[in-house]
Amino acid sequence: MADRHTDTIAAVATPAGRGGVGIIRLSGPNAGAIARQLTGRPVPARRASYRAFLDAGHQVLDRGIALYFPAPNSFTGEDVLELQGHGGPAVLDRIMAAVLAAGARPARAGEFSERAFINGKLDLAQAEAVADLIAADSHAAAGAAMRSLDGAFSREVDALLDQLVELRVYVEAALDFPDEEIDFLAEGAVADRAVALGKSITGLLSRARSGAALQDGFRVVIAGKPNAGKSSLLNRLARRDVAIVTDIPGTTRDVLEQSINLDGLPLQLIDTAGLRRDSEDLIEQEGMRRAHEQFGRAQHLLLVADDREAGPADVAALRSELSLPGDLPTTLLLNKCDLSGHAAGPLRAGDGLRLSALTGDGVDQLVMRLHRLAGLEGDMASTLGARRRHVDALQRTARHVAQGVLVLKETGAGELLAQELGDAQQALGEITGRFHSEDLLGAIFSSFCIGK
Ligand SMILES: Nc1nc2c(ncn2[C@@H]2O[C@H](COP(=O)(O)OP(=O)(O)OP(=O)(O)O)[C@@H](O)[C@H]2O)c(=O)[nH]1
Ligand SMILES: [Mg+2]
């Protein structure tokens, strides 16, 4: 366990604004003494005490409930005090001032959760799940965050970590007894175990991806030639008139971003200016430059084309004509099928879709496609709350394991496998914080809000 903190932190834990109740939370060794000072006498452990909250001159600032949770049975693992007063900014300010005058200091963003982590109350993934539960804006995201807060994700990560360590120990032990190394390599059992482990890691990776998609949203940019119907598609998916639609090519000049909840999938949908080569219009040129900027930030591109002008085989040609990035996953949408007379639905060649943004034909299939692309399919009840950080760590873990198997097969060198397994263990351990650096902690907790 890390060194105990010697200072006591305090913050208003309820959101800014007015409400029936406002809560000030304190954590640290002086919480009990501050409770006594503010309420005139000691506050008993784990019992609601109705008290007056006093300043240093014994003036009554508010009356409310004081709750005291002595260490270690508290959220942070330290002595924690909650003062539940009335939820107005001025009254909470005055209580906060009295708390600070009594010796606490204002908490930084995420500092309560950070202390809970340092004191072993939560692992990193659980601490992040606290923030994600609060941030969740769909029932599915809240459910997934709660499962991770309960430790479901961490348990799976830890189980994989145990297997990884076991395999690593086995390999290292074999290396220490070179006489037996030949047998151990020839037998192939190690490679098989590593392959099986790699599969389990990939399985968890795909579930974590779903969780991250639920949490962060799926960022999709809509692009194509002018007048293809990009803004009409945005409006259709958003189910309201977000963007201006006209029959004048070059209607959209700026980048338009819209957060929508697409049947449970949080989507960041970005409409862009139509792309064409020969524009002389400065505003339109700037619009195209901004469109290109969006490609680097998006996870998927919906390439919209007029069904009367383009066909299933034109993706490559459009890509090069419009200078679209080659590495951004892309779905071709042949729009205005009501005018072309083609039936809406999947294209026979390639994985594009035919639809009509005007009539809505084929849009349901696009919605299903987007769910699948975001990794959200099937049973949402078992989705685990996860973040992009976790996805990234699992990807690195899987890569190291796969690389280890490869070098073992190619060179037969157990040392190289051992090295890759060590790196894999390091990457996997970052998720729950079994292995962490101070930088990592700083980056994670500073994104939390104050009072958490
Ligand atoms: N018939 C038909 N018309 C459509 C369809 N989708 C869009 N349109 C029409 O096509 C014209 C252009 O639509 P927009 O949505 O503004 O096209 P855009 O791609 O955003 O155009 P820019 O912003 O200029 O690049 C409008 O008149 C729309 O009503 C469709 O599926 N069927
Ligand atoms: Mg437009």
Side-chain angles (χ1 to χ4, degrees), residues 225-232 244-252 273-274 335-336 338-339 356-358:
K225 290 187 187 176
N227 238 12
K230 300 177 295 297
S231 302
S232 303
I244 301 174
V245 167
T246 74
D247 57 5
I248 306 166
T251 300
T252 306
N335 186 35
K336 308 196 186 184
D338 56 302
L339 294 180
S356 168
L358 188 73

Side-chain angles (χ1 to χ4, degrees), residues 131-175:
D132 293 343
L133 180 62
I134 293 167
D137 48 20
S138 70
H139 289 194
M146 192 57 224
R147 279 187 286 281
S148 287
L149 177 54
D150 274 343
F153 182 48
S154 305
R155 278 193 293 278
E156 302 217 15
V157 170
D158 282 341
L160 286 178
L161 207 46
D162 289 344
Q163 289 176 41
L164 191 53
V165 170
E166 208 179 294
L167 183 62
R168 196 178 157 202
V169 167
Y170 186 66
V171 174
E172 304 270 6
L175 289 173

